[in-house]
């Protein structure tokens, strides 16, 4: 009989998002920017609203793992697989910005029609349509009041007050939906954890050979692989963004002028 190197648990989405905000759960450096399409975010929220399962996330506890926004794991749980889903949930339900594959920050707005109980990605037409709620994240803000919202919007939305209140509570309850959590054995070395990450993603959103290499590079802490990966991604970003490259060239030119002025000023003082 083989030794099982993981355990299976579950947690509700609201708790997971709260743990990430408080720093109890981190995102490791092997993870990628947010690459999901808007349709995928919409479908994820729709599945939760209808009570469908949305898969699982994989976590690992290791004090030496480099985290996505700097620092070490420090015995906290880190998400090995499921970043895209968790990021999508944070964006749609809490209104947090995401960082896309061009390393630009942006908002994702998921709209909802309470009459048809249909979700959609926000568009100019939906924003102007009074029958749509253009951003469901408003229901999870600290200062949100169901009582005031229902009284102010039931007529515009064409839904009776008691029915609208029931729908809002159902939308708010999405955060209480549970998601499966697979916890990897904390004694697993990072190269095996990276291998697990790659194997899982082969059957889901496939990683390219370049992604495999970058993931491996990030785990090679003995040779500063994490720092090298950041430099590579930075130059890839410059290569794919001519405007950014032009700005850097202009900045270098300005810097060269300042250095020249400084040198000339120093020579004048000596003479």
């Amino acid at each position: 009989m083989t030794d099982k190197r993981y355990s299976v648990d579950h947690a509700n989405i609201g708790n997971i998002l709260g743990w990430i905000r408080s720093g109890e759960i981190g995102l490791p450096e092997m993870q990628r920017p947010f690459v999901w399409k808007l349709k995928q975010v919409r479908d994820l929220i729709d599945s939760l609203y209808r009570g469908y399962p949305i898969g699982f996330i994989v976590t690992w506890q290791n004090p030496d793992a480099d985290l996505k926004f700097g620092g070490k794991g420090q015995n906290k749980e880190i998400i090995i697989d499921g970043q895209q889903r968790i990021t999508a949930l944070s964006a749609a339900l809490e209104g947090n910005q995401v960082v896309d594959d061009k390393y630009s920050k942006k908002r994702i707005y998921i709209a909802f029609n309470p009459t048809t109980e249909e979700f959609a990605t926000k568009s100019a037409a939906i924003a102007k349509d009074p029958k749509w709620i253009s951003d469901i994240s408003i229901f999870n803000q600290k200062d949100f009041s169901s009582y005031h919202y229902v009284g102010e919007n039931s007529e515009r939305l064409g839904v009776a007050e008691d029915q609208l209140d029931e729908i809002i509570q159902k939308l708010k309850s999405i955060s209480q939906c549970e998601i499966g959590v697979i916890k990897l054995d904390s004694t697993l070395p990072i190269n095996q954890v990276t291998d697990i990450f790659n194997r899982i993603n082969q059957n889901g959103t496939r990683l390219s050979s370049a992604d495999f290499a970058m993931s491996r590079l990030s785990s090679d802490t003995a040779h500063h692989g994490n720092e090298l990966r950041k430099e590579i991604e930075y130059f890839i970003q410059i290569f794919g963004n001519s405007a950014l490259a032009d700005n850097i060239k202009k900045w270098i030119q300005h810097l060269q002028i300042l250095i020249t002025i400084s040198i000339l000023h120093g020579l004048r003082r000596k003479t």
Side-chain angles (χ1 to χ4, degrees):
M1 184 176 178
T2 59
D3 292 332
K4 190 169 71 171
R5 307 300 299 274
Y6 64 90
S7 62
V8 181
D9 203 348
H10 59 271
N12 74 52
I13 291 167
N15 284 344
I16 293 173
L17 295 179
W19 294 333
I20 292 174
R21 285 195 305 275
S22 66
E24 294 178 60
I25 290 182
L27 296 172
E29 279 289 356
M30 70 176 68
Q31 297 275 21
R32 301 159 293 158
F34 189 71
V35 296
W36 269 23
K37 297 178 180 178
L38 295 178
K39 177 180 179 296
Q40 291 176 281
V41 181
R42 179 203 66 194
D43 291 348
L44 178 70
I45 299 301
D46 184 69
S47 292
L48 290 167
Y49 186 79
R50 300 181 188 284
Y52 298 164
I54 61 167
F56 56 85
I57 64 172
V58 181
T59 67
W60 175 55
Q61 187 175 25
N62 186 285
D64 297 320
D66 292 313
L67 299 181
K68 190 174 183 67
F69 302 106
K72 296 288 183 178
Q74 298 177 340
N75 289 317
K76 67 175 67 176
E77 295 286 333
I78 57 177
I79 296 176
I80 298 302
D81 187 67
Q83 177 198 355
Q84 300 295 303
R85 266 165 295 165
I86 296 302
T87 303
L89 291 169
S90 174
L93 299 178
E94 298 186 336
N96 295 319
Q97 291 183 318
V98 302
V99 177
D100 62 20
D101 56 355
K102 295 181 180 177
Y103 296 87
S104 298
K105 291 184 177 181
K106 66 179 184 180
R107 272 290 316 272
I108 293 176
Y109 297 91
I110 299 300
F112 182 75
N113 186 317
T115 302
T116 61
E117 294 190 83
E118 174 188 3
F119 290 94
T121 57
K122 183 180 176 181
S123 64
I126 284 177
K128 295 178 181 178
D129 191 332
K131 301 302 180 183
W132 281 84
I133 299 168
S134 60
D135 181 10
I136 64 169
S137 72
I138 61 172
F139 301 125
N140 292 303
Q141 303 306 312
K142 290 182 179 179
D143 59 350
F144 176 77
S145 167
S146 295
Y147 175 80
H148 287 106
Y149 186 87
V150 168
E152 295 170 0
N153 293 279
S154 62
E155 184 176 349
R156 171 181 68 84
L157 294 168
V159 181
E161 290 192 0
D162 57 343
Q163 183 183 358
L164 180 57
D165 183 64
E166 185 178 334
I167 288 172
I168 289 173
Q169 298 311 313
K170 188 174 180 180
L171 287 169
K172 288 172 66 69
S173 70
I174 289 176
S175 296
Q176 302 306 310
C177 293
E178 293 188 335
I179 185 171
V181 181
I182 295 178
K183 297 185 177 183
L184 299 180
D185 191 328
S186 62
T187 61
L188 283 170
I190 194 168
N191 65 312
Q192 289 187 24
V193 173
T194 304
D195 187 36
I196 291 170
F197 170 73
N198 286 334
R199 292 187 185 205
I200 290 173
N201 278 278
Q202 278 186 304
N203 297 319
T205 301
R206 289 187 60 83
L207 301 177
S208 68
S209 57
D211 290 318
F212 287 170
M214 295 292 271
S215 184
R216 284 290 187 185
L217 180 62
S218 182
S219 68
D220 187 5
T221 54
H223 299 92
H224 305 285
N226 184 45
E227 287 77 11
L228 287 171
R229 183 196 63 78
K230 287 182 178 179
E231 295 297 331
I232 292 170
E233 288 191 346
Y234 180 69
F235 282 107
I236 289 173
Q237 184 185 2
I238 295 173
F239 182 77
N241 189 332
S242 58
L244 178 60
D246 290 339
N247 286 336
I248 291 174
K249 288 178 183 177
K250 290 178 182 177
W251 180 83
I252 291 173
Q253 289 171 352
H254 289 312
L255 182 61
Q256 288 172 336
I257 292 171
L258 289 173
I259 292 172
T260 302
I261 292 172
S262 179
I263 292 172
L264 290 173
H265 181 70
L267 290 174
R268 287 177 181 174
R269 290 186 63 182
K270 287 182 180 180
T271 57

